[in-house]
Amino acid sequence: MSTSAEPGRTWPLVGRAAELDDLDDLLATTAGGDGGTVLVEGEAGIGRTGLVEALASSARLLSLELRAARATTQRRAPFTLLADAVLTHPPGVGARGPVEAELADLLDAQRTDAGRERAPLAAQRTARATELFAALLRRRGDSGPWVLVLEDVHHADAESLGVLLDLAHEGHLPGALVVLTMRPLPSSPELSGVVDAWVRAGARYVELRPLGPVATVELAQRLVGGSVGPALRGTLATTGGNPRFVTDVVRTARSAGALETRDGVVDVQGSAWLPALDTVVRGRLEYLDDDVVDLLAHASVLGTSFVVTDLAALVGCPLPDCWRTLRTALAAGLVHARADRLVFRHDIVRGALYAGLEERRRRAMHARAAWALREAGAPTQIVSQHLERAR
Ligand SMILES: Nc1ncnc2c1ncn2[C@@H]1O[C@H](COP(=O)(O)OP(=O)(O)OP(=O)(O)O)[C@@H](O)[C@H]1O
Ligand SMILES: [Mg+2]
């Protein structure tokens, strides 16, 4: 798979040439004075930050000012995301204008009075700050084209989303390329409203897809600095093309001392490093609610793919409840539908969840799976495989 060969990039991204070309075109349009908006969505670890970092280095080449901020679960006070992006000035850059000063005062007052102030006053302040942020962002392009990157808007505070919604109703910001990145989860009506409004306003929607098998191996080769042997390729094939899992595989193998080079080929030796990998991968699921992870752990007992009714019988939960939880896993991109089954998108996740089950519990789950599958009319051979593992 091709890689962007443009000079000035801090590092080459693998397998994202089309997306980078698209963004570079939009940057060029922005440099010419027009506005544009891009929504970049994709599962956890798929490479959204990598893509916007590549965009940032292109912006530097075009001398476009870049303002960036990232929403987090810890900092969700009103307007945090937008204040981080446009109210903080890098040392020596730009003085505060009157709008910025008024905004800073409003936010200070809001912070000081939080919890104490009467609702009407708080609502008035929010309305005024919304208006000022919208005006500030719309006018900023008057003094030259710029780029605004707001990362992880799935965690954005409601007030920043409110400003983004208002802005969408007036179309692209003049002289600005606005890039919003998000995971598919957690979703909220507020965020969906912002996304829909921007799509209607003509925003480009970029869904970052998994890397293909060739790009997956290419990324691993970059990371190990050589060609990759068959055992390592085998583990890489379980990553589902998710670059974070690819880097997890290589880093974990390396820090466990499991990487060896022979005749110029780098490969993993033995399986002693795999429990560490399972732990890392399970850690990557921490953003999900426990019920989702627990249900997927049950599903891991059924295999790489499973029938929803079998899973419901195994867990002993009503089908609608089970399905509701599975829909979250589907939205997160951890499973996908294939005919009448759901399939784990990354076998590395299934393996890690399975390995994380306490042994007695795992055996009990296999025994129950044997029963559930027999009831559902599964072939004897499958049922006996579960009985075997239940011992
Ligand atoms: N196309 C790529 N080529 C090379 N490395 C990549 C690519 N995409 C992602 N990576 C690497 O994979 C890891 C995960 O990528 P990144 O942090 O960009 O994902 P993300 O979608 O922003 O994740 P999160 O959901 O946690 O925000 C990083 O180490 C990044 O450098
Ligand atoms: Mg990121």
Side-chain angles (χ1 to χ4, degrees):
M1 191 75 203
S2 56
T3 301
S4 173
E6 277 166 68
R9 293 224 189 277
T10 44
W11 83 99
L13 283 181
V14 174
R16 297 289 187 222
E19 290 84 354
L20 283 169
D21 282 351
D22 242 23
L23 290 178
D24 278 348
D25 278 352
L26 283 165
L27 270 183
T29 314
T30 308
D34 285 338
T37 313
V38 190
L39 309 170
V40 181
E41 185 170 342
E43 67 184 43
I46 201 68
R48 297 182 315 276
T49 299
L51 193 71
V52 297
E53 282 173 359
L55 173 82
S57 54
S58 289
R60 273 193 293 277
L61 289 177
L62 293 171
S63 303
L64 290 170
E65 193 202 351
L66 179 114
R67 286 314 191 97
R70 188 169 77 88
T72 64
T73 37
Q74 291 83 33
R75 298 177 63 244
R76 304 191 75 171
F79 302 105
T80 301
L81 180 62
L82 291 179
D84 284 355
V86 293
L87 291 189
T88 52
H89 286 274
V93 176
R96 265 190 183 176
V99 176
E100 285 156 300
E102 187 181 342
L103 269 172
D105 290 347
L106 272 173
L107 297 187
D108 273 350
Q110 211 163 28
R111 250 182 311 249
T112 320
D113 294 344
R116 274 193 281 142
E117 63 189 12
R118 287 172 301 119
L121 180 60
Q124 256 174 35
R125 282 201 179 118
T126 302
R128 178 70 181 150
T130 302
E131 200 180 303
L132 290 176
F133 266 118
L136 185 69
L137 292 165
R138 286 206 84 77
R139 278 197 237 121
R140 198 184 173 101
D142 294 351
S143 53
W146 67 298
V147 180
L148 174 66
V149 174
L150 299 176
E151 271 240 73
D152 296 346
V153 290
H154 50 279
H155 290 317
D157 60 273
E159 291 74 11
S160 293
L161 288 178
V163 175
L164 292 172
L165 182 68
D166 286 359
L167 286 170
H169 292 143
E170 292 173 55
H172 302 302
L173 300 194
L177 176 61
V178 179
V179 182
L180 308 181
T181 76
M182 71 209 88
R183 287 182 180 178
L185 282 178
S187 59
S188 68
E190 291 76 18
L191 179 59
S192 304
V194 170
V195 169
D196 291 353
W198 274 112
V199 168
R200 264 184 228 119
R204 184 87 49 98
Y205 179 83
V206 177
E207 188 190 355
L208 276 188
R209 312 277 312 150
L211 300 179
V214 177
T216 298
V217 172
E218 188 182 333
L219 173 53
Q221 282 173 341
R222 294 259 170 93
L223 295 168
V224 300
S227 64
V228 163
L232 188 48
R233 275 173 197 258
T235 308
L236 291 169
T238 67
T239 61
N242 181 300
R244 168 148 308 125
F245 289 140
V246 174
T247 54
D248 285 341
V249 166
V250 172
R251 285 194 188 133
T252 311
R254 180 179 288 137
S255 52
L259 286 185
E260 273 183 21
T261 308
R262 230 175 261 166
D263 303 327
V265 177
V266 182
D267 210 348
V268 278
Q269 302 301 318
S271 55
W273 65 288
L274 290 173
L277 179 62
D278 289 333
T279 306
V280 170
V281 171
R282 284 197 298 275
R284 297 297 185 197
L285 305 179
E286 269 164 12
Y287 72 98
L288 293 164
D289 288 342
D290 289 349
D291 59 340
V292 179
V293 177
D294 193 57
L295 190 62
L296 289 177
H298 277 83
S300 77
V301 171
L302 293 173
T304 48
S305 73
F306 56 93
V307 175
V308 177
T309 47
D310 293 347
L311 179 61
L314 169 64
V315 180
C317 101
L319 190 62
D321 294 354
C322 187
W323 178 237
R324 205 167 296 123
T325 310
L326 281 172
R327 279 179 48 197
T328 307
L330 274 158
L334 288 164
V335 290
H336 60 170
R338 279 280 170 280
D340 58 345
R341 307 173 76 80
L342 290 183
V343 184
F344 276 94
R345 243 222 5 94
H346 325 83
D347 207 41
I348 202 170
V349 169
R350 189 197 74 86
L353 289 172
Y354 187 79
L357 293 170
E358 194 262 320
E359 201 179 323
R360 273 170 53 140
R361 187 164 176 238
R362 185 163 65 208
R363 276 201 249 116
M365 282 160 110
H366 275 296
R368 205 176 153 82
W371 165 82
L373 290 169
R374 188 186 290 128
E375 290 287 295
T380 348
Q381 186 206 350
I382 302 286
V383 173
S384 37
Q385 277 171 8
H386 282 288
L387 287 175
E388 193 66 30
R389 289 184 185 152
R391 285 205 198 113

